[in-house]
Amino acid sequence: QMTSDLLKKDAHLFPGRPSLRYATRFTRYGIGEKVFTGPNPSYGALITYYLKSKPDEKAKFQLQIFDEAGKLIQGLDKPSKEKGMNRVAWNLRYGGAEVRRPPSEEESAFAGPPRGPQVLPGSYTVKLTVDDEIFVQPVEVRLDPTISVPVADLQAQLDLQLKLRDMQSAANNALRFLDSIEDQIKHTQTTAKTLYKEPDKDMMKTLEEYIKQIQTLEDR
């Protein structure tokens, strides 16, 4: 689809082929890497776009997925924005739950970033924003043709998973708030001990009680 005219544009989002939603199961472990060295295609919807030059760090750059109703499904985290051709894969999922704290490198390497539930088969829209320019292309998600699942069952599964995701987000947001308050109180304790040889006993006792209350809430 590339032409000399496209190369003159600042950016371009290419149409994508239909994407297949399917599940894989890990069946072997500990037999070395030799059988896995083949270049498997990325899972999900392959999104290809051209950038005449690498966008400035301050420029707005987003790659988002929307459903047929125009509701945001997921914003791709740190999409590639190198000069020339770029390709990223949308994993055919909603955005994941909010986290209490960013995962460590070890956690990310083992389990990957937080994932939301799989989307239903249907039509979606890819939206690429490069500074003040917006590019859109449709993307079709199809179900694995080797299985047959009623759409109503998929919808019921999705509704439950979204509800659980939002419950998890609410709990993690509350925990993150409590973590922040606890850090502030501990900082106040450290400051008082640094400024005064003998800090006010009643104040220090009250601060310690606040920390215990926070820890009780965290345990709940």
Side-chain angles (χ1 to χ4, degrees), residues 178 206 208-218:
L178 291 174
T206 300
E208 195 61 39
E209 289 176 351
Y210 285 158
I211 289 179
K212 290 180 180 178
Q213 291 177 27
I214 290 173
Q215 292 172 344
T216 299
L217 287 171
E218 289 175 342

Side-chain angles (χ1 to χ4, degrees), residues 58-176:
K58 297 181 180 179
K60 185 176 182 181
F61 189 83
Q62 291 181 323
L63 194 57
Q64 301 166 301
I65 312 296
F66 294 85
D67 65 12
E68 287 186 290
K71 183 179 179 181
L72 179 65
I73 294 293
Q74 185 182 159
L76 274 66
D77 186 39
K78 298 179 180 179
S80 173
K81 53 179 181 179
E82 297 300 318
K83 176 182 177 181
M85 298 293 288
N86 293 265
R87 171 170 283 173
V88 297
W90 169 44
N91 62 2
L92 309 184
R93 289 178 177 272
Y94 285 78
E98 295 289 337
V99 295
R100 181 178 183 178
R101 59 181 66 89
S104 65
E105 291 185 9
E106 292 79 8
E107 291 171 332
S108 296
F110 183 76
R115 300 186 307 172
Q118 291 179 303
V119 299
L120 298 176
S123 299
Y124 297 85
T125 299
V126 180
K127 179 180 177 181
L128 172 67
T129 302
V130 184
D131 210 2
D132 58 350
E133 287 191 277
I134 296 176
F135 306 87
V136 295
Q137 287 287 355
V139 58
E140 180 186 358
V141 177
R142 298 176 180 174
L143 193 63
D144 181 351
T146 64
I147 62 174
S148 177
V149 182
V151 176
D153 289 354
L154 294 175
Q155 184 68 61
Q157 181 190 53
L158 175 61
D159 292 343
L160 177 60
Q161 290 178 328
L162 287 175
K163 183 178 180 180
L164 292 171
R165 181 201 64 175
D166 294 344
M167 289 171 63
Q168 186 177 358
S169 291
N172 283 335
N173 285 334
L175 287 167
R176 192 163 63 239

